[in-house]
Amino acid sequence: MTTKITVCFAGNEGIAKVRGMLDSITQQWVEGMRICYLTGIEQDSGSYPHPAVEIAHHPGENIFQLRTRLPKVAGDCDWVVLLEDHNTIGPGWVQGILEAIASAEDDTKILIGQATNVETTSPWSWASFLTSSGFHWYPTADRPVLPTLYNCAVRRAVLGTERWATGEYEFNILAEIALKAQAAPSMVLDHRQHHTMLSAIEHHWHNGRAAGALLAELKLPGQKPRYYTHVRNVLTQRWPALRDILLTHPKKNLYPSSTAAKVRVLVWAHIAAALWGGWFGGGRSFWRLE
């Protein structure tokens, strides 16, 4: 029986900017596979000449709003594979997904892959990658399996069919299904995102501000603001764990010696922004994220 998979990614670019990734995926197309690109670009997003590719165009929507539509665009499939529009797909990526799915335990809800940082190796690009993806930096065989928003495969059944609230997947559903996560070492891609000092700080500021604003909105009646818990966890759990990865990872010789200090700066930018977003809202930060 053919395993049906839907590969989804979202972004605020037209087809011209993501054509390379669509080419990489469709060149590995297998029976039972669909690809959906959700875009909030204001102008015409363009088209792509492959019958398995769907362009879901929702002008003006930010990346979080676009992701709320995943239950609707996933369609009839067994697994939904999530990407970001700045990932670089290697020639064996789809085969790696199929291998991971074949090895999934019956109670596994999400398969979590790993990422390299081959293409974007400037000092601040390294720092940004490790701040966001240090827990998934290949190889991570001895690390706990933690949730991620890209290079993961989620069982279609756990996503439901109704559109989510903004932030619901990122801050509620993902944490729940990650309790039944399984590492997928056969799923490896490159995380390609160039940064200068200014753009790296700006990126992590907008990420933190959006997170704080969403966590403020998603709290239950009578519940303490969740962004305070988020800030505490970043400071007391995430940063010490990232520091440990920087010291012990088998590929630690690849990044510049100043990287740990830069990661600390980005972590504090995220913390300050999360508090700002919780207090004053997300503003334009939602539209500044890829």
Side-chain angles (χ1 to χ4, degrees):
M1 182 178 177
T2 300
T3 298
K4 297 179 181 178
I5 62 174
T6 298
V7 179
C8 292
F9 65 104
N12 282 308
E13 304 283 2
I15 293 300
K17 292 290 184 66
V18 298
R19 183 175 294 275
M21 191 157 82
L22 287 171
D23 289 346
S24 297
I25 299 172
T26 55
Q27 285 166 9
Q28 303 174 49
W29 182 85
V30 294
E31 184 180 355
M33 178 175 154
R34 290 177 55 247
I35 304 102
C36 181
Y37 174 51
L38 297 106
T39 176
I41 192 171
E42 293 285 1
Q43 60 267 37
D44 182 13
S45 56
S47 60
Y48 187 84
H50 192 289
V53 174
E54 174 190 353
I55 310 302
H57 188 202
H58 301 282
E61 292 194 351
N62 61 55
I63 196 74
F64 293 96
Q65 291 170 331
L66 291 169
R67 273 198 291 256
T68 67
R69 298 181 179 276
L70 283 172
K72 294 292 188 180
V73 302
D76 177 21
C77 63
D78 302 303
W79 292 83
V80 179
V81 180
L82 302 180
L83 294 173
E84 291 180 332
D85 63 355
H86 47 272
N87 297 151
T88 298
I89 306 302
W93 181 71
V94 170
Q95 187 57 42
I97 292 171
L98 296 176
E99 291 176 12
I101 289 173
S103 69
E105 302 291 340
D106 291 342
D107 65 344
T108 296
K109 294 183 177 180
I110 183 171
L111 297 161
I112 296 179
Q114 300 176 21
T116 60
N117 184 46
V118 175
E119 295 187 35
T120 51
T121 56
S122 68
W124 282 97
S125 298
W126 261 118
S128 182
F129 166 75
L130 291 170
T131 303
S132 299
S133 302
F135 295 101
H136 311 287
W137 183 22
Y138 176 85
T140 59
D142 60 338
R143 301 288 174 190
V145 184
L146 297 178
T148 178
L149 289 170
Y150 73 95
N151 200 30
C152 58
V154 184
R155 283 196 193 271
R156 174 68 182 89
V158 305
L159 298 181
T161 58
E162 298 300 318
R163 186 179 178 183
W164 302 317
T166 304
E168 184 180 1
Y169 177 73
E170 292 86 350
F171 296 107
N172 290 349
I173 296 173
L174 185 58
E176 180 181 346
I177 63 178
L179 298 175
K180 294 294 184 179
Q182 182 177 324
S186 64
M187 292 170 54
V188 182
L189 51 67
D190 196 51
H191 186 274
R192 176 177 48 82
Q193 199 171 44
H194 293 277
H195 278 298
T196 63
M197 179 180 74
L198 183 60
S199 70
I201 294 173
E202 182 181 33
H203 175 77
H204 289 273
W205 170 271
H206 290 311
N207 187 290
R209 185 178 180 186
L214 289 171
L215 287 168
E217 293 176 3
L218 289 169
K219 80 178 184 71
L220 299 173
Q223 185 183 53
K224 291 182 179 179
R226 293 173 62 188
Y227 56 88
Y228 287 120
T229 301
H230 175 73
V231 165
R232 183 175 66 247
N233 290 343
V234 170
L235 183 61
T236 64
Q237 298 178 26
R238 185 176 181 86
W239 162 239
L242 283 173
R243 184 173 54 198
D244 180 62
I245 289 171
L246 290 167
L247 292 171
T248 62
H249 196 278
K251 293 184 179 293
K252 63 181 180 179
N253 62 308
L254 294 180
Y255 60 76
S257 58
S258 61
T259 300
K262 291 179 173 64
V263 170
R264 188 183 296 113
V265 168
L266 299 181
V267 167
W268 275 104
H270 180 96
I271 287 172
L275 291 172
W276 187 270
W279 295 333
F280 304 112
R284 294 299 299 173
S285 287
F286 293 110
W287 283 267
R288 299 290 179 85
L289 294 168
E290 299 179 33

